[in-house]
Amino acid sequence: MNVFPSDFTWGAATAAYQIEGAWNLDGKGESIWDRFSHTPGKIVNAANGDVACDHYHRFRGDIEIMRQIGLNAYRFSISWPRVLPNGVGAVNEKGIDFYDRLTDALLEANIEPYATLYHWDLPQALQDQGGWGNRDLVGQFAAYAALMGKRLGDRIKHWATLNEPWVIAFLGHRSGEHAPGLQDEALSLQVSHHLLVAHGAAIDALRATAPAVQAGIVINLWPSETMHNSEQELKIAHEQWQQDNAWFLDPLFRGSYPADVLEKYGARAPQILPGDMAQIARSLDWWGINYYARHVVGVAGPVPGSEYTEMGWEVHAPALERMLVRLNTTYALPPTYITENGAAFADEYNGDGRVRDPRRTDYLYAHLDAVARAMQQGVNMRGYFVWSLMDNFEWAWGYTKRFGVVYVDYATQTRVLKDSAKWYAQTITENALAPLNI
Ligand code: IFM
C-alpha cells in the first residue's frame, strides 16, 4: 500500500462555466462559451451552462460535500466576465463578492483554494476584438490577473494562470469544436503564443499585487506511446510529443520553442516579438498536469485488451508514471501537481442513496498508484486533484459525460456521493490508497 507524504494535497477540481450557472446574473458579462453554447448545432442536445450545477447559489452545500470527502484543497476557476463584464474596465463588484464568499467559506472549512484565472470563458467583448488572436489580450489578461491578485491574493495562495493552453489554441481555433469555434491553423499557432506570453505577464502581475502567492500554470499532456516500438512508430510518437506537448513545455521551462516544430510550421509559425520568450519562461512556484490518457501509435482503433471510458479514452495508468519520470529527467521542474485526472462513465442513480461506479474507483486507484511510483523515482509530486468534484457541463458534449465523484441529478440539483467519492475519502483519511473493495 502506497503511503503519501503527510503534507500531500488531496483535492478535486472544477471550472466556472462547467458548474456555476447564473450565466447572466448579478452583472455578469457574456462569455465566448455563453455565445457558443447558445449557437444551434454546437453542443450535444443543445445543452448550455446557463444553470449547470447551479453552484453559484449552492456553493455552501458543495463545500459541505468537499468536507465530507475530506478534501484539503479545491481547484476552481474564476469567470473573467463575471468580475470584468467587458474583459477590461468596470469591475462587477457582485462578481468579486461571489469569489470572496467562496474563498472565505473554503478557508473556514480548512480547504485550501487553488484558483485558475482562465478556464476557457473569455469575455465575448474581447472576442469581438479578435480574442486570443489579438495581442492586446496579453496586457488585458495581466490587468485581470492584477485585479484578482489585489482582491483575493491575501487569501488565495495558489494561482494558475491558464488551464490547458493546447485545448484553448487548437480545439478553439483549429478544429473549432470549442468556443470560439474557429478553424484556422495559423491563427491557432499565434493564439498559442499569445496565451504563453499572457501567462508570463499574468505571473508578473500576480507577484506584483500579492507577493506571497504561489504562481503557476496547468498544462494538459497526452503522451504518445507505440504499439510495436518500430523505428517508424517511435518517430511518429516523438513528432507528436514535440508538436503537442514540447510546444508548450519547452517555452515554459527552456525559453524556446522546439526547433523541429517551428521548422515544420514554416510560414504558419507564430510571430514572436523581442522579449517574448523570456516573458514566457518566468520561473514558476508550481505547475499542474492534467492527465487522462495516452495516444498509441501503430494501432488502428482500440488497443487490444484495453478498457475505454465514455469519452473513448484508453485507461492506461502506467503511461502517467512513465511520463512523469521522463518529464523529470527532461526539464528542471517546479513542484508538480496532478491538477486533473479522472474518467467519464455512464453512471446511473436508482434513488437508493448509492451510485455504484467501480470502474472510476479502479481508474483513480491505478492513477494515484502511478503518481506514488513516480514519487518513489524522485519526481517532486505535491498533490492530486480528481476531475471532477461533481458531474458537470462537459463542453461540446453537454451533460452526456459524467466525470464527477459526486453524482448530480440535473432536474433536481440533488448531489449523491458516488462509491468512488467514498473510496477517495478513505484514501485521504489514511493518506494511502484504500483497498478497492470498500
Ligand atoms: O472537463 C474537462 C476540463 O474542463 C478540462 N480538462 C479535461 C476535462 C475532461 O474533458
Side-chain angles (χ1 to χ4, degrees):
M1 186 164 32
N2 285 303
V3 177
F4 292 83
S6 59
D7 60 352
F8 197 71
T9 295
W10 294 104
T14 63
Y17 188 73
Q18 295 180 272
I19 63 163
E20 284 180 3
W23 78 283
N24 61 357
L25 279 191
D26 294 341
K28 177 181 165 292
E30 187 188 20
S31 80
I32 57 173
W33 270 94
D34 295 317
R35 179 70 63 91
F36 192 70
S37 67
H38 293 156
T39 306
K42 300 295 186 192
I43 314 289
V44 173
N45 297 333
N48 58 53
D50 291 5
V51 176
C53 305
D54 196 28
H55 176 74
Y56 186 76
H57 296 113
R58 295 168 191 267
F59 73 91
R60 289 188 197 280
D62 292 335
I63 291 174
E64 180 50 33
I65 289 172
M66 295 176 211
R67 245 183 24 78
Q68 277 175 35
I69 301 174
L71 302 180
N72 58 35
Y74 172 55
R75 174 174 176 249
F76 62 97
S77 78
I78 292 169
S79 160
W80 186 348
R82 195 180 290 291
V83 297
L84 287 165
N86 295 310
V88 290
V91 173
N92 179 30
E93 289 299 335
K94 285 192 172 170
I96 301 221
D97 281 354
F98 169 66
Y99 296 107
D100 255 330
R101 282 182 273 129
L102 175 67
T103 302
D104 289 343
L106 285 166
L107 292 173
E108 224 164 273
N110 281 323
I111 298 169
E112 188 69 23
Y114 280 63
T116 300
L117 286 170
Y118 188 74
H119 198 126
W120 311 353
D121 42 359
L122 187 72
Q124 180 64 39
L126 296 183
Q127 187 62 42
D128 294 342
Q129 294 159 32
W132 287 106
N134 177 354
R135 196 174 162 106
D136 290 349
L137 256 272
V138 170
Q140 291 161 341
F141 186 59
Y144 159 52
L147 172 70
M148 300 321 297
K150 204 159 123 204
R151 303 296 287 271
L152 294 169
D154 57 333
R155 284 155 292 152
I156 301 181
K157 191 167 161 207
H158 289 87
W159 292 84
T161 54
L162 304 174
N163 180 71
E164 302 186 353
W166 183 93
V167 173
I168 303 164
F170 299 123
L171 297 192
H173 303 81
R174 186 173 63 191
S175 73
E177 46 198 288
H178 278 193
L182 302 175
Q183 294 182 323
D184 176 340
E185 187 178 50
L187 172 67
S188 70
L189 295 170
Q190 190 63 52
V191 163
S192 65
H193 181 65
H194 288 162
L195 283 164
L196 286 171
V197 182
H199 148 78
I203 292 279
D204 288 352
L206 285 168
R207 287 181 177 149
T209 48
V213 294
Q214 298 276 302
I217 189 171
V218 169
I219 304 288
N220 58 308
L221 296 176
W222 288 67
S224 288
E225 299 196 328
T226 56
M227 193 67 193
H228 315 96
N229 274 336
S230 70
E231 214 175 290
Q232 175 66 2
E233 285 179 1
L234 288 166
K235 183 169 172 283
I236 295 172
H238 175 72
E239 285 168 2
Q240 286 181 355
W241 174 270
Q242 293 294 97
Q243 183 175 313
D244 290 338
N245 303 323
W247 183 250
F248 295 96
L249 298 172
D250 280 15
L252 287 168
F253 298 133
R254 290 183 175 157
S256 58
Y257 283 103
D260 50 349
V261 186
L262 270 184
E263 192 186 327
K264 186 184 122 190
Y265 287 138
R268 288 165 298 152
Q271 194 195 9
I272 301 168
L273 299 187
D276 280 1
M277 299 315 295
Q279 176 77 78
I280 294 171
R282 290 287 189 265
S283 73
L284 300 179
D285 300 308
W286 67 281
W287 76 305
I289 299 169
N290 293 352
Y291 176 85
Y292 289 89
R294 62 172 183 165
H295 300 297
V296 181
V297 178
V299 58
V303 175
S306 274
E307 184 194 358
Y308 285 79
T309 72
E310 279 292 296
M311 296 296 284
W313 298 346
E314 187 196 12
V315 178
H316 192 82
L320 172 59
E321 175 190 341
R322 289 191 284 268
M323 182 179 76
L324 291 172
V325 171
R326 171 186 176 171
L327 287 167
N328 197 40
T329 53
T330 309
Y331 302 102
L333 297 179
T336 303
Y337 294 71
I338 297 298
T339 34
E340 288 182 25
N341 176 242
F345 292 112
D347 306 313
E348 283 171 12
Y349 181 49
N350 66 13
D352 72 349
R354 263 186 80 184
V355 176
R356 294 157 178 82
D357 63 338
R359 294 175 68 196
R360 180 172 294 100
T361 306
D362 286 353
Y363 180 100
L364 299 180
Y365 186 105
H367 287 78
L368 268 164
D369 188 46
V371 170
R373 287 168 188 272
M375 289 169 81
Q376 282 153 18
Q377 292 163 78
V379 188
N380 185 6
M381 300 300 303
R382 299 296 181 88
Y384 175 92
F385 293 78
V386 67
W387 184 270
S388 178
L389 173 67
M390 56 187 155
D391 296 336
N392 58 46
F393 178 82
E394 178 55 21
W395 308 110
W397 294 100
Y399 296 98
T400 61
K401 309 291 178 197
R402 293 184 176 273
F403 272 96
V405 291
V406 174
Y407 184 91
V408 176
D409 175 348
Y410 296 109
T412 60
Q413 291 293 351
T414 306
R415 276 76 159 136
V416 183
L417 265 68
K418 299 180 190 176
D419 285 358
S420 59
K422 296 173 189 163
W423 173 85
Y424 193 40
Q426 191 179 333
T427 293
I428 295 171
T429 305
E430 292 175 6
N431 215 40
L433 288 173
L436 280 170
N437 55 353
I438 63 162

